[in-house]
mmCIF file of all heavy atoms in Angstrom:
data_model
loop_
_atom_site.group_PDB
_atom_site.id
_atom_site.type_symbol
_atom_site.label_atom_id
_atom_site.label_comp_id
_atom_site.label_asym_id
_atom_site.label_seq_id
_atom_site.Cartn_x
_atom_site.Cartn_y
_atom_site.Cartn_z
ATOM 1 N N LEU E 1 0.836 -1.198 0.000
ATOM 2 C CA LEU E 1 0.000 0.000 0.000
ATOM 3 C C LEU E 1 0.877 1.256 0.000
ATOM 4 O O LEU E 1 0.613 2.220 -0.725
ATOM 5 C CB LEU E 1 -0.912 -0.008 1.226
ATOM 6 C CG LEU E 1 -1.810 1.211 1.388
ATOM 7 C CD1 LEU E 1 -2.872 1.241 0.291
ATOM 8 C CD2 LEU E 1 -2.465 1.212 2.776
ATOM 9 N N LEU E 2 1.917 1.245 0.839
ATOM 10 C CA LEU E 2 2.849 2.374 0.918
ATOM 11 C C LEU E 2 4.263 1.839 0.750
ATOM 12 O O LEU E 2 4.658 0.891 1.429
ATOM 13 C CB LEU E 2 2.732 3.093 2.262
ATOM 14 C CG LEU E 2 3.750 4.213 2.519
ATOM 15 C CD1 LEU E 2 3.469 5.410 1.603
ATOM 16 C CD2 LEU E 2 3.729 4.649 3.978
ATOM 17 N N ARG E 3 5.016 2.442 -0.155
ATOM 18 C CA ARG E 3 6.410 2.078 -0.347
ATOM 19 C C ARG E 3 7.258 3.347 -0.239
ATOM 20 O O ARG E 3 7.156 4.241 -1.077
ATOM 21 C CB ARG E 3 6.632 1.411 -1.705
ATOM 22 C CG ARG E 3 8.056 0.891 -1.892
ATOM 23 C CD ARG E 3 8.227 0.076 -3.166
ATOM 24 N NE ARG E 3 8.140 0.897 -4.366
ATOM 25 C CZ ARG E 3 7.157 0.838 -5.244
ATOM 26 N NH1 ARG E 3 6.142 0.000 -5.061
ATOM 27 N NH2 ARG E 3 7.160 1.616 -6.319
ATOM 28 N N VAL E 4 8.043 3.430 0.821
ATOM 29 C CA VAL E 4 8.931 4.568 1.044
ATOM 30 C C VAL E 4 10.323 4.174 0.586
ATOM 31 O O VAL E 4 10.847 3.131 0.988
ATOM 32 C CB VAL E 4 8.949 4.960 2.534
ATOM 33 C CG1 VAL E 4 9.959 6.065 2.798
ATOM 34 C CG2 VAL E 4 7.546 5.383 2.983
ATOM 35 N N ARG E 5 10.934 5.010 -0.247
ATOM 36 C CA ARG E 5 12.267 4.728 -0.768
ATOM 37 C C ARG E 5 13.164 5.955 -0.606
ATOM 38 O O ARG E 5 12.863 7.034 -1.111
ATOM 39 C CB ARG E 5 12.202 4.339 -2.263
ATOM 40 C CG ARG E 5 11.683 2.946 -2.516
ATOM 41 C CD ARG E 5 12.702 1.880 -2.110
ATOM 42 N NE ARG E 5 12.172 0.535 -2.266
ATOM 43 C CZ ARG E 5 11.536 -0.149 -1.334
ATOM 44 N NH1 ARG E 5 11.340 0.405 -0.139
ATOM 45 N NH2 ARG E 5 11.103 -1.377 -1.547
ATOM 46 N N ASP E 6 14.252 5.762 0.128
ATOM 47 C CA ASP E 6 15.299 6.779 0.279
ATOM 48 C C ASP E 6 14.711 8.124 0.709
ATOM 49 O O ASP E 6 15.054 9.181 0.163
ATOM 50 C CB ASP E 6 16.079 6.930 -1.030
ATOM 51 C CG ASP E 6 17.438 7.604 -0.821
ATOM 52 O OD1 ASP E 6 18.000 7.456 0.279
ATOM 53 O OD2 ASP E 6 17.913 8.284 -1.758
ATOM 54 N N LEU E 7 13.842 8.091 1.725
ATOM 55 C CA LEU E 7 13.232 9.321 2.222
ATOM 56 C C LEU E 7 14.257 10.136 3.011
ATOM 57 O O LEU E 7 14.859 9.651 3.968
ATOM 58 C CB LEU E 7 12.035 8.990 3.122
ATOM 59 C CG LEU E 7 11.398 10.178 3.860
ATOM 60 C CD1 LEU E 7 10.842 11.197 2.873
ATOM 61 C CD2 LEU E 7 10.315 9.699 4.820
ATOM 62 N N ARG E 8 14.440 11.355 2.562
ATOM 63 C CA ARG E 8 15.344 12.282 3.242
ATOM 64 C C ARG E 8 14.589 13.576 3.525
ATOM 65 O O ARG E 8 14.139 14.254 2.594
ATOM 66 C CB ARG E 8 16.585 12.572 2.379
ATOM 67 C CG ARG E 8 17.412 11.331 2.075
ATOM 68 C CD ARG E 8 18.579 11.618 1.146
ATOM 69 N NE ARG E 8 19.224 10.370 0.739
ATOM 70 C CZ ARG E 8 20.188 9.763 1.430
ATOM 71 N NH1 ARG E 8 20.622 10.309 2.543
ATOM 72 N NH2 ARG E 8 20.703 8.628 1.004
ATOM 73 N N THR E 9 14.455 13.896 4.804
ATOM 74 C CA THR E 9 13.797 15.130 5.213
ATOM 75 C C THR E 9 14.779 15.928 6.052
ATOM 76 O O THR E 9 15.164 15.500 7.148
ATOM 77 C CB THR E 9 12.516 14.846 6.014
ATOM 78 O OG1 THR E 9 11.639 14.025 5.233
ATOM 79 C CG2 THR E 9 11.801 16.137 6.353
ATOM 80 N N TYR E 10 15.204 17.078 5.529
ATOM 81 C CA TYR E 10 16.233 17.885 6.168
ATOM 82 C C TYR E 10 15.648 19.226 6.605
ATOM 83 O O TYR E 10 14.733 19.771 5.972
ATOM 84 C CB TYR E 10 17.395 18.148 5.203
ATOM 85 C CG TYR E 10 18.183 16.917 4.784
ATOM 86 C CD1 TYR E 10 19.135 17.014 3.773
ATOM 87 C CD2 TYR E 10 17.978 15.674 5.380
ATOM 88 C CE1 TYR E 10 19.879 15.909 3.377
ATOM 89 C CE2 TYR E 10 18.708 14.565 4.989
ATOM 90 C CZ TYR E 10 19.649 14.682 3.983
ATOM 91 O OH TYR E 10 20.378 13.580 3.586
ATOM 92 N N PHE E 11 16.217 19.763 7.687
ATOM 93 C CA PHE E 11 15.830 21.074 8.192
ATOM 94 C C PHE E 11 17.046 21.995 8.087
ATOM 95 O O PHE E 11 18.119 21.691 8.612
ATOM 96 C CB PHE E 11 15.344 20.983 9.643
ATOM 97 C CG PHE E 11 14.028 20.280 9.782
ATOM 98 C CD1 PHE E 11 13.961 18.890 9.765
ATOM 99 C CD2 PHE E 11 12.852 21.001 9.911
ATOM 100 C CE1 PHE E 11 12.747 18.239 9.881
ATOM 101 C CE2 PHE E 11 11.626 20.352 10.023
ATOM 102 C CZ PHE E 11 11.573 18.964 10.005
ATOM 103 N N TYR E 12 16.857 23.110 7.415
ATOM 104 C CA TYR E 12 17.946 24.039 7.152
ATOM 105 C C TYR E 12 17.909 25.144 8.207
ATOM 106 O O TYR E 12 17.067 26.041 8.162
ATOM 107 C CB TYR E 12 17.837 24.592 5.734
ATOM 108 C CG TYR E 12 18.083 23.513 4.702
ATOM 109 C CD1 TYR E 12 17.083 22.608 4.344
ATOM 110 C CD2 TYR E 12 19.341 23.363 4.130
ATOM 111 C CE1 TYR E 12 17.318 21.587 3.435
ATOM 112 C CE2 TYR E 12 19.590 22.349 3.213
ATOM 113 C CZ TYR E 12 18.573 21.460 2.877
ATOM 114 O OH TYR E 12 18.823 20.449 1.974
ATOM 115 N N THR E 13 18.807 25.044 9.188
ATOM 116 C CA THR E 13 18.801 25.930 10.339
ATOM 117 C C THR E 13 20.077 26.763 10.382
ATOM 118 O O THR E 13 21.030 26.539 9.627
ATOM 119 C CB THR E 13 18.701 25.110 11.642
ATOM 120 O OG1 THR E 13 19.957 24.430 11.873
ATOM 121 C CG2 THR E 13 17.591 24.070 11.550
ATOM 122 N N GLU E 14 20.111 27.716 11.322
ATOM 123 C CA GLU E 14 21.300 28.548 11.500
ATOM 124 C C GLU E 14 22.496 27.723 11.964
ATOM 125 O O GLU E 14 23.653 28.115 11.752
ATOM 126 C CB GLU E 14 21.014 29.653 12.520
ATOM 127 C CG GLU E 14 19.985 30.669 12.049
ATOM 128 C CD GLU E 14 19.723 31.725 13.091
ATOM 129 O OE1 GLU E 14 20.278 31.606 14.213
ATOM 130 O OE2 GLU E 14 18.976 32.678 12.794
ATOM 131 N N ASN E 15 22.217 26.594 12.607
ATOM 132 C CA ASN E 15 23.294 25.744 13.121
ATOM 133 C C ASN E 15 23.733 24.682 12.118
ATOM 134 O O ASN E 15 24.549 23.814 12.448
ATOM 135 C CB ASN E 15 22.850 25.061 14.418
ATOM 136 C CG ASN E 15 22.562 26.055 15.523
ATOM 137 O OD1 ASN E 15 23.270 27.045 15.665
ATOM 138 N ND2 ASN E 15 21.519 25.795 16.291
ATOM 139 N N GLY E 16 23.179 24.743 10.912
ATOM 140 C CA GLY E 16 23.538 23.769 9.897
ATOM 141 C C GLY E 16 22.330 22.968 9.436
ATOM 142 O O GLY E 16 21.196 23.223 9.846
ATOM 143 N N VAL E 17 22.574 21.994 8.590
ATOM 144 C CA VAL E 17 21.502 21.153 8.052
ATOM 145 C C VAL E 17 21.250 19.991 9.002
ATOM 146 O O VAL E 17 22.144 19.172 9.258
ATOM 147 C CB VAL E 17 21.865 20.623 6.651
ATOM 148 C CG1 VAL E 17 20.740 19.749 6.115
ATOM 149 C CG2 VAL E 17 22.152 21.772 5.700
ATOM 150 N N ALA E 18 20.039 19.938 9.539
ATOM 151 C CA ALA E 18 19.645 18.839 10.433
ATOM 152 C C ALA E 18 19.016 17.735 9.587
ATOM 153 O O ALA E 18 17.911 17.904 9.065
ATOM 154 C CB ALA E 18 18.670 19.335 11.486
ATOM 155 N N ARG E 19 19.719 16.618 9.458
ATOM 156 C CA ARG E 19 19.231 15.509 8.630
ATOM 157 C C ARG E 19 18.337 14.619 9.486
ATOM 158 O O ARG E 19 18.713 13.529 9.907
ATOM 159 C CB ARG E 19 20.410 14.744 8.041
ATOM 160 C CG ARG E 19 21.226 15.560 7.039
ATOM 161 C CD ARG E 19 22.434 14.794 6.541
ATOM 162 N NE ARG E 19 23.462 14.655 7.573
ATOM 163 C CZ ARG E 19 24.401 13.710 7.572
ATOM 164 N NH1 ARG E 19 24.429 12.804 6.610
ATOM 165 N NH2 ARG E 19 25.291 13.670 8.535
ATOM 166 N N ALA E 20 17.116 15.099 9.751
ATOM 167 C CA ALA E 20 16.218 14.425 10.690
ATOM 168 C C ALA E 20 15.849 13.022 10.233
ATOM 169 O O ALA E 20 15.807 12.080 11.027
ATOM 170 C CB ALA E 20 14.951 15.267 10.881
ATOM 171 N N VAL E 21 15.547 12.877 8.952
ATOM 172 C CA VAL E 21 15.308 11.562 8.344
ATOM 173 C C VAL E 21 16.277 11.461 7.181
ATOM 174 O O VAL E 21 16.263 12.295 6.280
ATOM 175 C CB VAL E 21 13.848 11.418 7.871
ATOM 176 C CG1 VAL E 21 13.640 10.094 7.159
ATOM 177 C CG2 VAL E 21 12.888 11.531 9.057
ATOM 178 N N ASP E 22 17.107 10.430 7.199
ATOM 179 C CA ASP E 22 18.288 10.441 6.334
ATOM 180 C C ASP E 22 18.415 9.171 5.498
ATOM 181 O O ASP E 22 19.307 8.351 5.716
ATOM 182 C CB ASP E 22 19.533 10.641 7.204
ATOM 183 C CG ASP E 22 20.743 11.100 6.402
ATOM 184 O OD1 ASP E 22 20.555 11.593 5.276
ATOM 185 O OD2 ASP E 22 21.863 10.962 6.910
ATOM 186 N N GLY E 23 17.465 8.999 4.564
ATOM 187 C CA GLY E 23 17.580 7.901 3.607
ATOM 188 C C GLY E 23 16.945 6.605 4.052
ATOM 189 O O GLY E 23 17.551 5.540 3.910
ATOM 190 N N ILE E 24 15.718 6.662 4.574
ATOM 191 C CA ILE E 24 15.072 5.438 5.052
ATOM 192 C C ILE E 24 14.161 4.854 3.974
ATOM 193 O O ILE E 24 13.612 5.571 3.130
ATOM 194 C CB ILE E 24 14.266 5.662 6.353
ATOM 195 C CG1 ILE E 24 13.022 6.532 6.108
ATOM 196 C CG2 ILE E 24 15.146 6.299 7.424
ATOM 197 C CD1 ILE E 24 12.075 6.564 7.286
ATOM 198 N N SER E 25 14.003 3.535 4.008
ATOM 199 C CA SER E 25 13.136 2.814 3.069
ATOM 200 C C SER E 25 12.371 1.746 3.838
ATOM 201 O O SER E 25 12.950 1.031 4.657
ATOM 202 C CB SER E 25 13.958 2.157 1.958
ATOM 203 O OG SER E 25 14.680 3.116 1.211
#
C-alpha cells in the first residue's frame, strides 16, 4: 500500500543542516 524509498527530510537551520530523516526505506 505504501512504499517509502530513500526518504530524506532535512531542516535548514542557523546551526547547519539537520538531517532528521536520512535515507530510510
Side-chain angles (χ1 to χ4, degrees):
L1 178 68
L2 174 69
R3 186 173 70 248
V4 175
R5 285 288 176 269
D6 199 29
L7 173 62
R8 299 176 188 273
T9 303
Y10 295 171
F11 290 80
Y12 293 80
T13 72
E14 294 179 355
N15 297 321
V17 180
R19 294 177 289 158
V21 176
D22 198 19
I24 69 169
S25 300

